[in-house]
Each structure stands twice: as C-alpha cells, then as structure tokens.
Amino acid sequence: MPHAAQFQEIVLAVEGTIYSEMLLLLGGAVVSAPLFKRIGLGTILGYLAAGVAIGPAARLITGGEEILHVAELGIVFLLFLIGLELKASRLWAMRREIFGLGLAQVVVTGAVLALLANTLAGLAWPASFVIGFGLALSSTAFAMQLLQQEGTTNARYGQTTFSILLFQDLAIVPLLALIPMLSPGGETGEAPALPQFGITLVAIVVLVVAGRYVINPLFRVIANTGAKEAMIAAALFVVLGAATLMQIAGLSMAMGAFIAGVMLAESSYRHELEADIEPFRGILLGLFFMAVGLSLDLNVIVSNWTTILLAVPVLMAVKVVTTYAVCRVFGCTHDNAVRVAFLLPQGGEFAFVLFSVAASAAIFPLETASILVAIVTLSMALMPLFAPASKAFLTPDQPEEMEEDFDGAGADVLMIGFSRFGQIAAQILLTGGSAVTIIDHSAERVRSAGKFGFRIYFGDGTRKDVLEASGIRRAKVVAVTTNKKEITDKIVELIQSEYPDTKLYVRSYDRTHTLQLRARGVDYELRETFESGLLFGQRTLEALGMDEDTASAIREDVRRRDEERLALQAVEGIQAGRDRWHTKPVTPEPLIKPTRESKRLDKEALDDKTPETVDT
C-alpha cells in the first residue's frame, strides 16, 4: 500500500506539472501574440519571445524539445490544409517548379554553405556537407505562415515559394539516409536505399488508393449520421494516420499530411475538413514557435555569441543571393525572385532533426549541434523583421502578379472589375439571389475581396482565354465595371466581337464615353457618378427645407432632361441640348400634379357665394 500511495503522489505531481505548463504556454500565447501583432512585429515573433521568456530566461519550463516534438503537429496540420487547396492536376502542373527549381535551390545553396563551413570554420567535409545542406532547408511553418497572413499563398511568388519548400521537405529523406555513410567508419556501410524506396512508394500508393476509395465514403457515412464530433475525430484521424504512415515509410509526417490533403482537394467535404482542422492548426503552430523559443540554449549563445552573431547574417545573406539567382535562371521576374528569396533565408524545422542525428552519429560534437540549432532559431526569430525588407529591392509601382486559377468559376452574372462601383453593384445582385463570378486584374483587390468571401478570381478581362475560363458562355449578363475607359472599351470590343449574343451592362466613365457605348449598342450603360450625384443633390435640397416629394420630383426632372440631352447629342454632337441644362437657379414649374384644378377667386365671384360655399 505505501508503494501505491507513492505512485499516486507521483502521478498527481506529473499531472500538476503538465497542467501548469499548459497554463503557462496558453498564458504566454494570449499575452504575446496580440501584443506583438499590435506593435507590427507579427504573431510569430510574439510566440518565439514568449517561449524564450518562459523557458531559457525565467526557467519556468524545461525540456522544450519534448514540447517541440508535439508542437510539430502544427506543421502537419498546416501542410494538410495547404494540400486541400491544391488538386493533383495543379500539383502536376507545378512539377517543373518543385523538381526543377526546388532541386536547384537546395543543391546550389547547400553547396555554397558547405564550402563556407569547410573554408571558414575549418570543418571536415562530412560535417560541412551535413551543415551546408541542413542550413539550406527553410522553415515551411514560417514562410507559409507569412504568406497566409499576407493573403499571398496563391500569388505567383507564393506558389514558387511553396514549390521550393515542398522539395525541401522531400530532400530531408535522402539527407537522413546519407548520415550513416558520412559518419566515422560508415564509408563501407551499405545504405538500404532500394528497399527504403520501395517501402516509400508502397506507402504513397496506399495513401492515394485510400484517399480515392476509402476516405470519401467514410466521411459520407459519418456526415449522414449528423455526429459533428465524429466528423472532427475522423478528420484528425485521417491527417494523423496519413502522417504516421509516411513517417513509417521514411518520409516526413508533414509530407504525409500534404498528400492526404491533395487527395481530398476535390472532395465535397473539403470545406468541412478545413473548418474542423483550422483551430488545431492555429494553436499547435503557435505552440511550435513557442517550443522553438523554449529549446533555445542561452548558455551556448553566451559562450559563442561572436560566432552566432557572424553566422546568422552570413547564412541569411547567402540564402537570399543563391535563391534569387536560381529563381532568375528559372524565369522568375525580378520582383517575384526578390520576394521568394526574402521568404526563405531562415533555417528550417528539419535542420533540428538532421543536426541531432548527425551529432548522434559523431559527424560533429554536440556543442556544434547546439550552436547550429541556435543559429537556425535566431534566423527564424529574425524572419518577421527580415521579410518586409524585400520591399526596398522591388521595382517601384510594379503591379503584383497572381496565379490565374478559375476553378469553380461560372455564374449567371460575370462581373469584370471590382472597384467601389462593382462592389456596390455586386451587393444588389447577391442580395437579389443571383450568383456572381468576379474577375479583377489587381492582386491586392483579389486578396482583400477574397478575405470577405467573394467569389473572385485574378485575371485580365481583356484576354479571351480568361473570359472563357471564367465562364462567359454560361453567363446571362456580363457586367463591365472597370474604372478605366480604355480598358472598358477593349473588353466591350472583345466581347461584342467574340460573343455577339452576350448581354452587356457597362459602367461608363463620363458623358462622352456614354455616347460612345450607346453607339456601340451595349444593352445598358451608366455613368459612374450620375445616380450618386442625383441623390446627393436631392438630399441637399431637403436639408435646405424642401419636402421629400418635391425634391424627388426635381431629381426625376433632371434625369429626364439629361436623357433628352443625350438623345440630341447622339444625333447633333456634344454641344447639342444645352437648353436642357440649368446653369442658374430657376423658379421651377409645379412638378407634382395638383389633386384639384385651381380657380380664380375675384371679388365678384366671392360676392356670388354664401359663406357656406367658400373653400377654406
């Protein structure tokens, strides 16, 4: 019995420790994330700062490595959600970026860093190789989190960044397989490359088959029961099951989750899965960044602060330069190459794993591994401050490009242009129950509108292929609401030439543009400021004391006169109909018909009537 009592005390002590650590971590997240977000440093740096404060600084929590292993599930969920946004066909279309650009970035950056480690630090080639290629990997969590915060995941440079990160996640497998051969005495060892490759291939096939023939029916059965909790449990089971299967096969858990996400990208339950996983992704990813801060060894930093202080900027500078150069070789524009380069200069999560395994294999001492972990961690910590620096190297006034993706486009109304005029018109259409597909050439506007849930796509409405992809043949009405006259004219000309039966409703720039559009035979046009100006004038009359009915009648009279003037101008020229335009205050004729005819009441008429018959 005494032993049982002691065991119970130990269990209670352990539980108390777990609960207290959970409270500390949650409290740190609640305080640091909003604070750092408010001062403009971003939530990522807030989580890192909270981890450093709770762990190495105050020593309230020790053993950050264990928490880091659990928190890496945040990366797993993040890649699953990214996979949900990518269909297999789209992933295949990105193969050049993944296996071409991604491979080139890892090889070039890894080789340069390995050479620096050998020449500057005097390390042996096996150690230099592991360090160089380990530092060449970047943080998927940091880069994708920054892209998501900015809403640029689907931008052209966002897709390029993702392609490189995806290959880096794949690269960790051969790098780990090379460790035994690089360790002292491991040169003669035989690496089980072929069997491991076979196991990996079988695991991927199993996952693909399960995604196509098992997972969707499973979700269908659970959804029919109406058990919300079971649906969430099934979503977690699929993600963690796929991640575990890939880990057993030798790939990373994140890669398994990503493949599962791609397999479910076309599932009708995609949005349900995204909603179920998102809360877990958010809190675990925040926990991951805190765990990185917890695992930071301040003693190592203090003892080797000069080395780290020099190594971090060198690492980030080398990765920026090599990544930019590789992107340019593969055809990226200057601005996109700069954005990608400044998103990938930090060390990656898998570097922690690679350096730990290398230290265990005696490729380099544990102290070197601790210094490398500190360099990677500090490079991560600098990312929220470093990434915005890319703006200084961008071409001034260069419009941002996005990937054109019209998946799901097509509706009764196709709206081209989504500035203020189009946004107001869209509200009327949506309130009336009409589906609207919107395309706009501004990446920033597409991102902003997409955050509010609009069905909006990035594309140039002056291109026929974009109109086809956005569903113009299905549209009953095409609303051209662009805010530039020349662009509007190009779109109208293209549509009338290629789709002559399409009903065109067009926003005109001014009076001259209105006449030009009418001459083209558009179905309806409206000057962008006409109706708002009429209403503004009416409300001003009411503010001066006029009753609403009279002011409204005056507004309609002005609208009628304007229409008459337009009709004359269409025949006689822009100077016609000037008599329809008031330029001075007038005493208007009654605009509302009286309910009774008026009669002249002179003295004789009054004398002929008795008091009882006089109108009062």
Side-chain angles (χ1 to χ4, degrees):
M1 292 303 293
H3 294 290
Q6 291 175 355
F7 178 75
Q8 187 175 8
E9 289 179 2
I10 293 172
V11 170
L12 291 173
V14 171
E15 289 179 347
T17 302
I18 294 174
Y19 290 140
S20 63
E21 289 184 352
M22 287 175 59
L23 284 174
L24 282 171
L25 292 172
L26 291 173
V30 168
V31 172
S32 63
L35 178 62
F36 277 70
K37 180 75 172 179
R38 183 64 179 268
I39 61 180
L41 296 179
T43 56
I44 297 176
L45 194 55
Y47 290 130
L48 281 169
V52 173
I54 294 172
R59 296 193 175 276
L60 298 175
I61 296 179
T62 56
E65 291 77 10
E66 289 82 3
I67 297 175
L68 186 62
H69 291 316
V70 176
E72 284 176 352
L73 291 176
I75 305 170
V76 171
F77 288 134
L78 174 65
L79 282 179
F80 175 75
L81 293 176
I82 292 170
L84 281 179
E85 300 296 328
L86 286 173
K87 293 183 179 179
S89 57
R90 188 176 179 190
L91 194 62
W92 175 250
M94 295 167 59
R95 63 189 182 279
R96 180 177 179 272
E97 287 76 15
I98 296 172
F99 297 103
L101 177 56
L103 172 63
Q105 189 274 336
V106 170
V107 170
V108 172
T109 306
V112 172
L113 291 173
L115 182 63
L116 290 176
N118 177 258
T119 55
L120 298 181
L123 296 172
W125 274 112
S128 299
F129 178 87
V130 173
I131 291 171
F133 280 84
L135 293 176
L137 307 179
S138 301
S139 172
T140 300
F142 270 82
M144 295 309 299
Q145 183 82 346
L146 287 170
L147 287 171
Q148 287 190 335
Q149 285 180 357
E150 297 173 357
T152 55
T153 306
N154 289 323
R156 196 177 301 276
Y157 74 88
Q159 293 295 298
T160 303
T161 302
F162 173 71
S163 300
I164 295 174
L165 289 169
L166 191 56
F167 183 84
Q168 289 181 359
D169 286 344
L170 288 169
I172 190 63
V173 179
L175 289 174
L176 287 172
L178 287 171
I179 294 294
M181 292 188 291
L182 295 173
S183 63
E187 294 82 359
T188 58
E190 295 183 2
L194 191 59
Q196 183 62 50
F197 177 78
I199 294 172
T200 301
L201 187 61
V202 169
I204 293 175
V205 171
V206 169
L207 192 55
V208 171
V209 172
R212 185 175 293 271
Y213 299 107
V214 178
I215 298 177
N216 267 316
L218 172 66
F219 283 122
R220 190 179 304 114
V221 171
I222 297 174
N224 290 335
T225 65
K228 176 69 176 176
E229 297 81 4
M231 196 71 175
I232 296 174
L236 293 173
F237 176 79
V238 167
V239 178
L240 296 178
T244 304
L245 178 62
M246 288 297 103
Q247 187 181 42
I248 294 172
L251 289 172
S252 67
M253 294 182 71
M255 181 56 58
F258 173 76
I259 295 173
V262 172
M263 292 300 101
L264 292 170
E266 299 188 39
S267 170
S268 55
Y269 302 99
R270 179 169 69 89
H271 297 294
E272 177 80 15
L273 289 168
E274 190 173 359
D276 290 340
I277 295 297
E278 178 61 34
F280 297 97
R281 193 275 311 175
I283 194 167
L284 284 172
L285 205 56
L287 181 62
F288 169 80
F289 297 130
M290 294 180 72
V292 172
L294 286 171
S295 61
L296 194 63
D297 191 339
L298 294 182
N299 292 327
V300 171
I301 294 177
V302 171
S303 302
N304 301 274
W305 68 271
T306 52
T307 302
I308 295 171
L309 197 62
L310 291 173
V312 171
V314 169
L315 166 67
M316 301 183 82
V318 168
K319 294 187 75 172
V320 166
V321 172
T322 55
T323 303
Y324 173 83
V326 171
C327 286
R328 292 290 281 165
V329 168
F330 275 77
C332 292
T333 64
H334 166 76
D335 284 0
N336 284 339
V338 167
R339 290 188 176 102
V340 173
F342 276 79
L343 279 168
L344 300 176
Q346 78 286 2
E349 304 86 11
F350 293 123
F352 299 142
V353 178
L354 188 65
F355 295 151
S356 298
V357 174
S360 301
I363 294 177
F364 46 70
L366 287 174
E367 183 179 345
T368 302
S370 297
I371 294 173
L372 292 170
V373 168
I375 291 171
V376 171
T377 304
L378 288 180
S379 69
M380 288 181 175
L382 290 174
M383 269 306 295
L385 302 175
F386 192 81
S390 64
K391 296 178 181 178
F393 299 91
L394 299 178
T395 305
D397 302 323
Q398 184 71 17
E400 181 186 332
E401 296 181 356
M402 290 183 73
E403 193 74 26
E404 290 180 353
D405 177 19
F406 297 97
D407 183 35
D412 289 344
V413 179
L414 171 61
M415 179 173 286
I416 305 173
F418 202 57
S419 56
R420 291 169 295 179
F421 187 95
Q423 293 167 24
I424 296 169
Q427 284 299 294
I428 299 293
L429 293 168
L430 294 171
T431 304
S434 296
V436 184
T437 293
I438 307 163
I439 60 175
D440 197 285
H441 70 283
S442 168
E444 182 180 355
R445 196 176 295 142
V446 169
R447 284 201 306 271
S448 299
K451 290 178 181 178
F452 287 95
F454 285 102
R455 191 181 185 185
I456 186 167
Y457 302 88
F458 176 78
D460 183 358
T462 62
R463 288 166 44 194
K464 182 182 177 182
D465 60 325
V466 169
L467 296 178
E468 288 281 355
S470 56
I472 191 171
R473 295 187 184 275
R474 176 181 165 186
K476 297 177 180 177
V477 175
V478 175
V480 183
T481 59
T482 50
N483 56 7
K484 290 186 178 180
K485 176 180 178 295
E486 57 275 14
I487 293 178
T488 299
D489 289 341
K490 287 179 67 176
I491 294 171
V492 170
E493 182 180 357
L494 173 63
I495 293 176
Q496 287 185 328
S497 172
E498 300 292 335
Y499 314 97
D501 297 329
T502 299
K503 188 173 289 186
L504 269 173
Y505 277 45
V506 186
R507 166 194 184 180
S508 66
Y509 179 74
D510 55 16
R511 193 174 198 84
T512 303
H513 195 206
T514 291
L515 293 169
Q516 292 171 352
L517 291 171
R518 289 190 177 189
R520 287 177 177 271
V522 301
D523 296 275
Y524 179 76
E525 54 70 34
L526 181 66
R527 276 165 285 161
E528 56 189 20
T529 57
F530 183 63
E531 289 295 332
S532 57
L534 289 176
L535 183 59
F536 188 86
Q538 176 188 337
R539 296 302 183 211
T540 306
L541 284 177
E542 293 172 12
L544 294 172
M546 185 176 290
D547 64 274
E548 184 177 353
D549 289 340
T550 303
S552 177
I554 290 174
R555 183 187 69 188
E556 295 304 316
D557 179 65
V558 173
R559 180 186 282 112
R560 177 183 58 81
R561 287 170 175 272
D562 183 81
E563 188 61 35
E564 291 173 355
R565 184 170 171 237
L566 282 170
L568 289 170
Q569 289 174 326
V571 178
E572 302 175 17
I574 195 68
Q575 298 298 325
R578 299 181 68 176
D579 59 317
R580 302 298 197 278
W581 198 1
H582 294 307
T583 58
K584 296 179 181 180
V586 297
T587 304
E589 298 177 359
L591 299 173
I592 302 176
K593 187 177 180 180
T595 57
R596 297 179 59 183
E597 291 293 332
S598 62
K599 293 181 179 181
R600 180 174 177 272
L601 295 178
D602 53 17
K603 188 175 184 301
E604 291 79 5
L606 287 173
D607 290 342
D608 292 340
K609 292 189 177 185
T610 61
E612 289 79 4
T613 62
V614 177
D615 292 333
T616 58

